[in-house]
Amino acid sequence: MARSSADDMELKRSCEGGIMAKEKDRETVVMCMRVAKGRGVWGKAGKLASRHMAKPRVLAITTKAKGQRTKAFVRVLKYSNGGVLEPAKVYKMKHLSKVEVVQNDPSGCTFLLGFDNLRSQSVSPPQWTMRNKDDRNRLLMCILNMCKEILGGIPKVVGMDIVEMAMWAKENTPVKVTQVSTKDGPIESVVGEADSQVAVEKDLVSQAEEEDIEALLGTYVIAIGEAEAFSERMKRELVALESANVYALMETESVVEEIEWRNNRLELQSDSNVALIDELDKLLVFLQIPPEYEASLTGGSFDEGNMVKNIEACDWLTSAIKNLEASNLDPVYVREKRAEFVLLKCTFVRRASEFLRNYFPSLIDFMLNDKGNFSQRGQLQRPDHADMRYKCRTYARLLQHIKSLDKSCLTPLRKAYCHSLNLLIRREAREFSNELRAGSKASKSSTPLFEGPASANQPINITDTSADAYCKMITVFIPLLVDESSFFAHFMCFDVSALAPSDESDNKNPVAEGKINSTAELGVLNQCLQELLDGIQEDFYALVDWAFKLDPLSCISMHGITDRYLSGQKAEVAGYVHVLLDDLETRISILFSRFVDDACYQIEKYERNVRQVGVVPYIPRFSQLAARMEQYINGSRDLVDQAYTKIVTIMFVTLEKIAQVEPKYVDIVLLENYAAFQHSLYDLANVVPTLAKYYHQASEAYEQACSRHINLVIYIHFEKLFQFARKIEELMYNMSPEEIPFQVGMSKVDFRKMLKSSLSGLDKTINAMYRKLQKNITAEELLPSLWEKCKKEFLDKYATFLKLISKIYPSETGWGRLGHQKRRGNRVLVESNKVII
């Protein structure tokens, strides 16, 4: 048989070296053996079904001295890339709860070790496979002996018989040969290695024990060498003594039983008395009212210096009432004490509530009487409630005890606090708002209107507007109101969870940060917060109205600021503050809508039965207004885009109505005004999507008006030519091109007469077309582009006319009369263009 790795001293030294490299304290390797590590897979009924690929490992049983105690470990070592052993896992022997031999392995060489301190019991433990069953038994016996010697017990053993293991250990214990001296001379003795030390220890007798044995033998008149005779005599006396003892026990059995029964009753009675005394001591502890607590509860002061004693007394009273209610005592025995506690509770709650109802108004009155707490002429004072909250926090624990003792007493306290603080906040807001209006440098703005001379309304740069005052008001008071709402909810003992703002929180949640546990509690808190902050909205409304009167466009900035607080800080806004901001946003939108309606009304006033010459005044004024409105945008631009949509729509509708006053000049009015709209809004349309949409709409309307007007001018000057072409097109619906020259008025002779009359004096006709365009257009900057469009349209129409004629009169095409007339027309157009330019 191959030599076991347990006897490999080189392996043992390698294990010690690997452990010392990682551990500070020295450990002794008792046994180490090479094993194969596998991991089982849980099958049905929690059994290990199979294992993964095995990995080479070394299991080492080590010990470490810790003072007078010895600790044992099971270490797993693995081979590094360089073939050196290094620690991979360590298990404490004291946590070993099970040793199991895997039944699926028919060789019986695979086992697993179960430890009760592993974090995840759902993961199958590693399996260890030995080379043979002897190595397995040798390692497991070492582990079991360690547990018994050091821990005093062995773990649960599954899959193998302990008796068989003990027999194996007895048969396979290493032996050593020793020489023993006898009368016949020295002989060899085979003694187990484990038994040799015990035998030697048993053979050794001290000098005092040897003297005692000699004295004992002397009493029996037996020499020390007569061991057999002494042994026989001792056996006889032992039998005699055992017989006498059995007889005596049988005679006194009833007496012993009686004595034992009485002792058991006395012991039970003694234990019961001790337990009763302990319970009575505990009962007396919480039933007896300490004098210092009774003094604080019934007549103590509520000044800040005495609040520590008052809180201690409240803690004791609350605990005593809870203990009395939770006890299993008969109510008859504690009825008087319960009544005493109730009276004490009512007395204390009444005194504390009365003190706080008077304390809150006095604290607020002190702040109201100090003018330094409010804004004054020439000086804005930001509200500071830090000192007030600090003083209130002194009584926070007292309010909590009042809630636990008698929750109904909180309602008047909350009302008193809300009423008092409401007076302070409203005065702070009123003084702050008045000083903002008085100290503002904003003057009444010359907002571009749609009435009066256009030159009077020029866009200006915004430096200081009335919206700045509103921004300061919002910036200072909205965070203050949010903080006061949050402080009130916590201070007045509402069921507020831990501070945890989230995007999913309800916008109507009245707590600045947190959630309310009860729907009923939520309703009460909403009502209290309304009492706390009601009335402050009037100062915000007054500031908004003042800013609107100075500059209606300031509504754009105010709306952006309000929307930013509503959307960006939604999770931090108390419910009533959110309602306030919502109302402000609605009021600002209504005021701005009123301004937009006034502007639309002024635009509609241009609709009258008078011919409009040139560009209507409201188009350049709108560009000035739009440029000014863009400067006010601060955040969302929804309000401005809605205004653009409404105003421009009214502008276009009104323009169409104005143009219809004189049908002869409809297209001229439209093209001039749509061109002016594009020219004035070109820069803004590149950056404002809403204006870009209307810019393109105006561009399309301009092109359509240009096309209609140019076609009209061309038709007026070449009426016969295009009437002849139209008549040909109508005849082609009913007959072939070859039949048309035979119709009345459509012969070649008629065609030549028409062509001669239409194209004779072509240069004069072209010049007349230009003068016609020039006469009707008031915006001279449009004339060059309009004339270019006119020339291109005429040439396109004439080319179409030539194609049509070539089908009806083929002999007249080519380089004949028509070609000559076409080349002549092109030359005239070019020459006329040079003259015009």
Side-chain angles (χ1 to χ4, degrees):
M1 180 181 293
R3 181 168 172 261
S4 174
S5 59
D7 302 325
D8 190 350
M9 299 306 295
E10 184 65 27
L11 178 63
K12 186 174 183 180
R13 285 192 292 270
S14 299
C15 291
E16 290 179 345
I19 294 172
M20 289 183 64
K22 296 291 184 179
E23 299 292 334
K24 296 181 179 179
D25 298 333
R26 180 178 179 84
E27 293 184 14
T28 302
V29 178
V30 178
M31 178 180 290
C32 58
M33 300 186 75
R34 294 186 181 90
V35 297
K37 177 186 176 182
R39 185 169 297 279
V41 178
W42 292 116
K44 296 182 179 179
K47 295 182 179 180
L48 291 172
S50 62
R51 61 174 183 268
H52 297 284
M53 184 178 294
K55 300 177 182 179
R57 294 288 188 269
V58 174
L59 282 182
I61 312 301
T62 65
T63 59
K64 178 172 66 175
K66 194 80 171 181
Q68 296 182 353
R69 297 181 301 167
T70 301
K71 292 186 176 181
F73 303 90
V74 178
R75 285 189 171 272
V76 181
L77 296 94
K78 66 179 181 180
Y79 290 95
S80 64
N81 294 334
V84 180
L85 284 175
E86 58 182 17
K89 193 76 174 179
V90 60
Y91 302 95
K92 293 183 179 180
M93 191 79 77
K94 66 179 181 180
H95 293 299
L96 181 62
S97 61
K98 182 174 70 171
V99 177
E100 179 179 357
V101 175
V102 178
Q103 302 298 320
N104 293 339
D105 187 0
S107 66
C109 298
T110 303
F111 65 92
L112 57 87
L113 302 176
F115 294 87
D116 56 8
N117 64 334
L118 295 182
R119 292 184 179 177
S120 177
Q121 297 293 342
S122 61
V123 179
S124 60
Q127 298 179 4
W128 311 102
T129 303
M130 311 300 294
R131 186 173 54 179
N132 51 55
K133 191 176 281 188
D134 290 338
D135 283 354
R136 183 206 73 180
N137 292 342
R138 189 170 182 182
L139 180 64
L140 294 184
M141 284 303 298
C142 180
I143 294 175
L144 296 176
N145 289 334
M146 277 281 190
C147 292
K148 186 174 182 181
E149 292 175 7
I150 296 177
L151 305 176
I154 64 174
K156 181 181 179 181
V157 179
V158 180
M160 60 182 180
D161 193 348
I162 295 294
V163 177
E164 292 181 2
M165 289 290 291
M167 293 176 63
W168 177 91
K170 185 175 182 180
E171 294 173 359
N172 293 272
T173 301
V175 298
K176 63 181 181 178
V177 180
T178 58
Q179 288 188 350
V180 181
S181 298
T182 63
K183 296 179 181 180
D184 301 331
I187 63 172
E188 292 184 352
S189 174
V190 180
V191 183
E193 186 178 15
D195 298 335
S196 61
Q197 297 179 357
V198 179
V200 173
E201 291 176 358
K202 291 181 179 179
D203 290 342
L204 294 178
V205 181
S206 65
Q207 182 67 28
E209 289 175 340
E210 186 176 354
E211 292 177 357
D212 291 340
I213 291 173
E214 289 181 353
L216 180 60
L217 293 175
T219 58
Y220 288 98
V221 196
I222 296 176
I224 194 169
E226 299 176 358
E228 293 182 0
F230 178 73
S231 177
E232 289 294 332
R233 185 170 178 179
M234 290 298 292
K235 288 181 180 179
R236 289 194 301 271
E237 291 186 1
L238 178 61
V239 172
L241 286 174
E242 289 179 350
S243 300
N245 287 337
V246 170
Y247 181 76
L249 287 173
M250 292 176 66
E251 285 185 343
T252 60
E253 182 178 2
S254 59
V255 178
V256 171
E257 290 178 354
E258 183 179 356
I259 293 173
E260 184 178 1
W261 177 74
R262 293 175 62 187
N263 288 338
N264 290 340
R265 288 193 61 187
L266 290 173
E267 184 178 358
L268 178 61
Q269 186 176 2
S270 176
D271 293 340
S272 301
N273 290 336
V274 171
L276 179 59
I277 292 173
D278 291 340
E279 290 296 326
L280 290 175
D281 290 339
K282 294 178 182 178
L283 185 61
L284 289 175
V285 167
F286 74 83
L287 289 181
Q288 185 178 3
I289 305 175
E292 63 275 14
Y293 293 161
E294 185 175 10
S296 298
L297 294 172
T298 56
S301 172
F302 289 100
D303 295 337
E304 294 183 9
N306 294 329
M307 283 311 299
V308 175
K309 295 181 180 178
N310 291 331
I311 296 302
E312 291 178 354
C314 287
D315 290 338
W316 177 89
L317 179 60
T318 303
S319 176
I321 293 175
K322 289 182 179 178
N323 292 335
L324 188 62
E325 292 176 351
S327 65
N328 296 325
L329 298 175
D330 193 325
V332 176
Y333 299 126
V334 294
R335 181 172 52 198
E336 295 181 359
K337 184 57 66 175
R338 180 179 287 108
E340 185 178 359
F341 282 170
V342 170
L343 179 61
L344 193 62
K345 178 188 73 174
C346 294
T347 301
F348 174 76
V349 170
R350 176 182 54 78
R351 292 179 57 252
S353 300
E354 184 178 355
F355 167 78
L356 291 176
R357 280 200 305 271
N358 297 327
Y359 176 77
F360 294 142
S362 63
L363 180 62
I364 299 301
D365 288 342
F366 177 79
M367 298 184 67
L368 290 172
N369 294 331
D370 187 358
K371 294 183 178 181
N373 294 327
F374 308 99
S375 299
Q376 302 177 20
R377 182 173 297 276
Q379 180 181 2
L380 278 175
Q381 181 64 37
R382 182 185 293 267
D384 185 5
H385 295 176
D387 185 62
M388 180 199 72
R389 294 177 190 169
Y390 175 79
K391 293 180 179 179
C392 288
R393 286 191 183 96
T394 305
Y395 301 97
R397 288 286 304 279
L398 181 62
L399 283 169
Q400 293 176 2
H401 282 293
I402 291 176
K403 179 181 179 180
S404 63
L405 294 174
D406 189 356
K407 188 176 182 179
S408 61
C409 292
L410 282 178
T411 301
L413 293 179
R414 291 168 176 171
K415 289 184 176 295
Y417 181 87
C418 291
H419 177 72
S420 302
L421 188 58
N422 179 264
L423 296 176
L424 176 64
I425 295 178
R426 289 186 63 180
R427 181 175 173 185
E428 289 173 338
R430 183 172 63 255
E431 299 292 346
F432 196 87
S433 176
N434 292 339
E435 183 56 30
L436 278 176
R437 293 195 293 270
S440 177
K441 297 180 181 179
S443 59
K444 190 163 185 177
S445 173
S446 57
T447 302
L449 299 177
F450 296 97
E451 291 182 337
S455 59
N457 296 310
Q458 298 295 332
I460 61 174
N461 293 327
I462 301 173
T463 55
D464 186 13
T465 67
S466 54
D468 295 337
Y470 177 80
C471 181
K472 291 180 182 178
M473 187 78 174
I474 287 287
T475 305
V476 170
F477 275 89
I478 292 302
L480 174 69
L481 300 182
V482 172
D483 292 342
E484 288 299 337
S485 300
S486 177
F487 178 78
F488 173 79
H490 289 81
F491 179 61
M492 283 298 170
C493 304
F494 285 92
D495 293 334
V496 182
S497 61
L499 300 181
S502 64
D503 294 339
E504 298 178 358
S505 60
D506 187 0
N507 295 341
K508 298 300 181 181
N509 192 333
V511 183
E513 298 157 334
K515 298 179 180 178
I516 302 300
N517 297 331
S518 170
T519 304
E521 195 85 350
L522 175 63
V524 174
L525 181 56
N526 269 327
Q527 184 179 0
C528 292
L529 289 179
Q530 185 173 1
E531 295 178 1
L532 178 67
L533 305 177
D534 190 28
I536 193 175
Q537 67 272 13
E538 300 300 330
D539 297 298
F540 283 91
Y541 294 161
L543 193 61
V544 169
D545 295 342
W546 168 79
F548 175 75
K549 289 179 181 178
L550 289 181
D551 185 3
L553 296 185
S554 63
C555 291
I556 300 173
S557 297
M558 293 190 294
H559 186 275
I561 297 168
T562 308
D563 184 71
R564 186 167 66 251
Y565 269 87
L566 271 173
S567 59
Q569 303 180 8
K570 193 172 297 183
E572 300 176 0
V573 178
Y576 189 79
V577 180
H578 185 278
V579 173
L580 171 62
L581 290 172
D582 200 15
D583 292 343
L584 285 173
E585 188 178 45
T586 303
R587 191 180 188 91
I588 293 169
S589 300
I590 291 174
L591 291 175
F592 190 70
S593 297
R594 186 187 305 169
F595 165 76
V596 173
D597 292 341
D598 291 342
C600 293
Y601 174 72
Q602 293 175 16
I603 293 172
E604 290 175 340
K605 286 169 62 177
Y606 283 92
E607 181 189 344
R608 53 184 179 268
N609 295 323
V610 178
R611 179 194 168 192
Q612 175 65 39
V613 179
V615 178
V616 289
Y618 63 70
I619 288 182
R621 290 170 184 169
F622 173 74
S623 65
Q624 299 172 12
L625 177 65
R628 183 84 181 273
M629 290 169 68
E630 289 296 321
Q631 298 180 43
Y632 281 86
I633 294 177
N634 183 10
S636 173
R637 58 177 301 113
D638 294 342
L639 196 67
V640 175
D641 289 339
Q642 293 171 8
Y644 286 159
T645 301
K646 190 170 185 178
I647 293 175
V648 176
T649 302
I650 294 297
M651 287 171 58
F652 287 175
V653 172
T654 304
L655 180 60
E656 295 287 341
K657 293 180 179 179
I658 292 174
Q660 297 296 330
V661 173
E662 185 66 39
K664 182 178 180 181
Y665 301 102
V666 171
D667 295 326
I668 297 175
V669 173
L670 292 178
L671 69 89
E672 286 186 335
N673 282 276
Y674 281 125
F677 182 86
Q678 295 178 75
H679 177 72
S680 61
L681 292 176
Y682 177 78
D683 295 331
L684 284 177
N686 286 328
V687 295
V688 180
T690 303
L691 292 179
K693 179 181 70 173
Y694 290 106
Y695 181 90
H696 293 304
Q697 182 177 337
S699 178
E700 294 176 1
Y702 168 77
E703 294 294 337
Q704 294 173 3
C706 285
S707 179
R708 291 193 300 268
H709 182 61
I710 288 171
N711 288 331
L712 179 62
V713 171
I714 293 174
Y715 187 79
I716 290 173
H717 291 83
F718 296 94
E719 181 178 3
K720 293 181 179 180
L721 182 70
F722 293 111
Q723 278 185 353
F724 193 84
R726 187 177 303 167
K727 190 174 182 180
I728 291 175
E729 291 175 348
E730 292 175 355
L731 291 173
M732 288 180 69
Y733 284 109
N734 300 320
M735 61 185 65
S736 63
E738 292 79 7
E739 296 175 339
I740 293 178
F742 299 101
Q743 303 300 316
V744 178
M746 301 301 294
S747 64
K748 291 183 179 181
V749 175
D750 296 330
F751 168 68
R752 290 170 184 169
K753 289 181 181 180
M754 180 276 302
L755 192 64
K756 182 177 181 180
S757 63
S758 297
L759 297 181
S760 61
L762 183 61
D763 51 351
K764 294 181 180 180
T765 306
I766 296 298
N767 290 330
M769 287 172 57
Y770 179 78
R771 287 193 299 272
K772 180 71 174 177
L773 289 175
Q774 188 179 29
K775 176 183 177 181
N776 295 328
I777 295 297
T778 59
E780 295 183 358
E781 65 275 6
L782 298 178
L783 187 59
S785 63
L786 194 61
W787 176 238
E788 288 296 327
K789 291 178 182 292
C790 183
K791 291 190 297 181
K792 183 178 182 301
E793 185 67 21
F794 174 74
L795 291 177
D796 292 342
K797 287 181 178 294
Y798 191 71
T800 304
F801 172 76
L802 292 180
K803 292 180 182 180
L804 183 63
I805 294 301
S806 64
K807 297 178 181 180
I808 309 302
Y809 309 102
S811 60
E812 301 294 327
T813 59
W815 298 100
R817 295 184 182 86
L818 292 180
H820 172 70
Q821 295 295 344
K822 180 180 180 182
R823 290 192 299 274
R824 183 183 171 208
N826 290 338
R827 187 180 70 254
V828 171
L829 287 173
V830 173
E831 291 177 354
S832 65
N833 189 44
K834 292 180 180 178
V835 172
I836 292 168
I837 294 175

